[in-house]
Amino acid sequence: MALLELKNINKSYKVNENQIFQALKEINVSFEKGELVSIIGESGSGKSTMMNLIGGLDSKFEGELLVEGKNIGSFSEKQLDAYRKDKIGFVFQNCNLIPHLSILENVTIALTLSNVGKEERIERAKHALAQVGLEKHMNKKPNQLSGGQRQRVAIARALINEPEIILADEPTGALDSETTEQVLNIIKEIAGRGKLVIMVTHSEKVAAYSSRVIQILDGQIIKDQRNTEVEVVSEVSHESIQENMEKATNSSSAKKAEFTSETLSLETQTASTVKQNLSFFSAIKLAANNMKQKLKRNILVALGVSIGIMSVVMMLALGNGIKAYFSNMIESFMNPLVVEVSMPQGEVDPNDPMASMQAVIGSKPTFKEENLKELAALDGVVRVEEGFQYIAIAGTNSVSYGDKKSELMGIVSATSVLTESNIAEGKLPEEGEILVNKSSFEDLGEDIIGKTVTLNAVIEGKNVTGEFVVSGVYTAGENNTMADVNNSIYMHYEDMAKLLEEQGATLAPNMAYLVTEDESVASQLKETIVDMGYGGSTQEVMGDQMMTMLDILTLVLAGIAGISLVVSSIMILVVLYISVVERTKEIGLLRAIGARSKDVKRIFVSEAFLIGICSGTLGITIAYVISIFVNKVSVEIFDVQLMNITIPYVVAGVIISTVVSMIAGLFPANKAAQLDPVDSLRTE
Ligand code: ADP
Ligand code: MG
């Protein structure tokens, strides 16, 4: 059985919608091991087309193309990839070395794609390079070699997987006569080792080196001639190879490799190596290497993406910080044993924070006897204190001392909610006394504690007035600047009721305070009263509304920042797309030496992955550095750290940026994977 047999092969190209061009017509030819075949013919006669068919780069043809009896026309994509990788070695006219890889890496790229270990890769590359006399140049880049040397590297690359068929499409077309001879000698040697070498050439002189010359004209074989002067090895045995090699070594230049029995044993050894696919790690390494070539461009892209990630993270961290600040403010300095209860707000949409907030301010619904009884009967409630609090209309409420006056925003009943921790100076108020907050304290003068002040207020629509002794100064803790700047006083419910009574009216409580003996009971009660339909602590309700608003605000800001992420992902897409276009030829080459389209895709997705990881890390780092400055300023001004970058943000930031990049990279990666190998190789 012939190693390779073409039976009735027809190949036509579609030129346009209604025109096809037949490049190969009824080709019938077969090839044996050890043959060195030259294909000659005018340009455009169909030589490359035939090579591409034999090489499994193009499987769209009619007829049968049998390799060891198997028709590759019926191969699946996967089988074709494996066929190219294992059975075929390609050598192109213009070498097609990947410029940014070293000679060693260029030669081993097919092994990398097969996931062969590093040591074995280097070992096999050394031998392949030795065969072309270039083992000393392993670490150079292609542009550091001469044209002939480059072509020899390309031959070494074709030999690395020990293929049975070497296809060389005008391998000497770009070489001068001296280097042509070097390259031809090597090619002859390879055929001498029992390989089938098919070489396309223009030159009759080159053809003279071969054991068989096939001439093609307009897609048809017009001559098939065996050259008896050239020795052909048909039976391959150890001895004959050895002999042949010695002959080759003696007859060629000093640069020529030496073939030893060691080489041969290595061949048999590597032939049995399990072939696998491109590993994730190798893909990343290839991608990293690619990216190094366009370092500035990639840094700029990463910077762009990192700005997107940075803004999203900063907005979220800022929201987080502000929320922490307010919740700290609300919860601090409230007696944990007391549960504040308010009457239900009536027809207020709980999803409308503004409406709920307004309902909290001003006059609130009051408790009825049965409400208070019901609350007092709850488990764990020691007693129920009545309370009243309201936010005043500007200008209607004030406390004054001599010519000093403090306009009040809030009047709040002093209940067990207040503890010693709420006293900045002085003491808690008794009946007939009031507690003033910091800003009112400043309005009234520093020596006001113990002095009698006059209160003028409008409670439940009645003008009331009375004299009270200032017992002390209220504080809600260091973080609660709001309670310190909004003028307010705290006085006993009984005193408020008395003031109203003087005007012939009765005060009903709008707040109830459930005093307990246990914090866990208290927190349980907070849920119970909400379940019963009551409102919770005014401060807590306000706090919840504020939290909701802050959440919305944070999300809106993060969303706006997210737009920059979208923009930057488009940037990745464009850059990778350009990269695919730039590297079309390289992709074609990778496919020719056996890379599956999946592998090509993986390399590009890996690039996107790397951009994503780098930009995520960069973005978080920038955000973190900015947060240090923001916090420094905010601590000075508000006494609080406003930007709170937590570990989950760091992790999420990197993950999001990676995922976004990879999604953006999918389109160019698919585009690269779908490139036709033949077309790609033809691009300039
Ligand atoms: P050569 O013998 O110079 O290597 P080719 O095999 O490259 O010739 O091309 C053979 C013929 O097929 C040429 O006439 C060429 O124009 C045509 N051809 C090659 N590729 C295509 C293609 N993709 N679409 C249309 N025609 C093509
Ligand atoms: Mg050609």
Side-chain angles (χ1 to χ4, degrees), residues 283-289 291 302 605-615 658 661-662:
I284 292 282
K285 257 178 76 180
L286 282 175
N289 204 323
M291 288 172 73
V605 171
S606 298
E607 286 195 39
F609 171 80
L610 286 180
I611 293 181
I613 286 232
C614 292
S615 19
T658 310
S661 302
M662 283 170 78

Side-chain angles (χ1 to χ4, degrees), residues 156-404:
R157 179 179 61 193
L159 292 177
I160 193 86
N161 260 338
E162 288 302 325
E164 280 152 67
I165 303 168
I166 311 281
L167 301 174
D169 196 345
E170 304 192 40
T172 58
L175 303 179
D176 59 46
S177 57
E178 197 190 323
T179 41
T180 294
E181 200 175 313
Q182 280 180 16
V183 167
L184 286 174
N185 278 328
I186 292 171
I187 287 176
K188 209 162 123 183
E189 257 173 41
I190 295 166
R193 288 163 51 205
K195 311 268 175 199
L196 166 61
V197 181
I198 304 177
M199 173 171 69
V200 168
T201 183
H202 273 306
S203 140
E204 297 277 345
K205 228 170 89 188
V206 170
Y209 267 77
S210 39
S211 59
R212 182 174 168 193
V213 178
I214 291 176
Q215 193 175 354
I216 295 189
L217 183 67
D218 294 335
Q220 282 173 310
I221 295 182
I222 55 163
K223 201 166 92 183
D224 188 347
Q225 194 175 49
R226 283 175 208 269
N227 192 346
T228 43
E229 279 164 42
V230 179
E231 190 180 338
V232 183
V233 183
S234 47
E235 275 310 301
V236 191
S237 68
H238 252 236
E239 289 87 291
S240 68
I241 293 181
Q242 200 89 23
E243 247 169 60
N244 233 287
M245 289 188 178
E246 268 153 33
K247 226 182 278 169
T249 318
N250 295 338
S251 64
S252 59
S253 70
K255 273 183 195 161
K256 203 55 54 70
E258 277 175 35
F259 297 98
T260 60
S261 50
E262 198 196 321
T263 320
L264 292 167
S265 66
L266 187 94
E267 277 166 28
T268 25
Q269 176 198 320
T270 49
S272 63
T273 309
V274 184
K275 302 246 163 68
Q276 285 176 347
N277 298 325
L278 176 66
S279 71
F280 172 75
F281 187 67
S282 300
I284 292 282
K285 257 178 76 180
L286 282 175
N289 204 323
N290 290 337
M291 288 172 73
K292 253 198 318 210
Q293 303 320 306
K294 296 276 185 270
L295 196 58
K296 273 189 202 142
R297 182 201 286 175
N298 286 312
I299 287 176
L300 285 176
V301 173
L303 206 63
V305 180
S306 74
I307 288 171
I309 285 291
M310 180 199 76
S311 10
V312 172
V313 167
M314 281 209 331
M315 286 309 149
L316 292 176
L318 196 63
N320 210 23
I322 294 173
K323 265 176 74 175
Y325 168 63
F326 279 114
S327 77
N328 188 4
M329 190 170 103
I330 287 157
E331 270 154 33
S332 65
F333 291 82
M334 280 178 55
N335 187 341
L337 294 176
V338 179
V339 180
E340 239 182 281
V341 189
S342 58
M343 282 298 281
Q345 290 295 342
E347 298 294 297
V348 176
D349 180 0
N351 293 324
D352 179 357
M354 282 317 287
S356 314
M357 195 107 113
Q358 271 163 356
V360 172
I361 303 172
S363 198
K364 305 196 315 166
T366 53
F367 283 85
K368 299 202 171 65
E369 272 304 314
E370 64 253 36
N371 298 128
L372 296 170
K373 267 191 198 141
E374 182 182 45
L375 291 169
L378 290 173
D379 272 352
V381 176
V382 177
R383 63 174 193 278
V384 177
E385 290 180 12
E386 298 177 329
F388 193 85
Q389 58 174 247
Y390 76 112
I391 311 252
I393 300 157
T396 56
N397 297 261
S398 67
V399 276
S400 49
Y401 178 69
D403 56 354
K404 288 181 179 142

Side-chain angles (χ1 to χ4, degrees), residues 13-15 21 23 42-50 169-170 679 682:
Y13 291 108
K14 199 169 176 181
V15 181
F21 175 82
E42 284 166 21
S43 126
S45 54
K47 306 180 297 291
S48 295
T49 302
M50 191 163 112
D169 196 345
E170 304 192 40
D679 291 342
R682 204 183 287 125

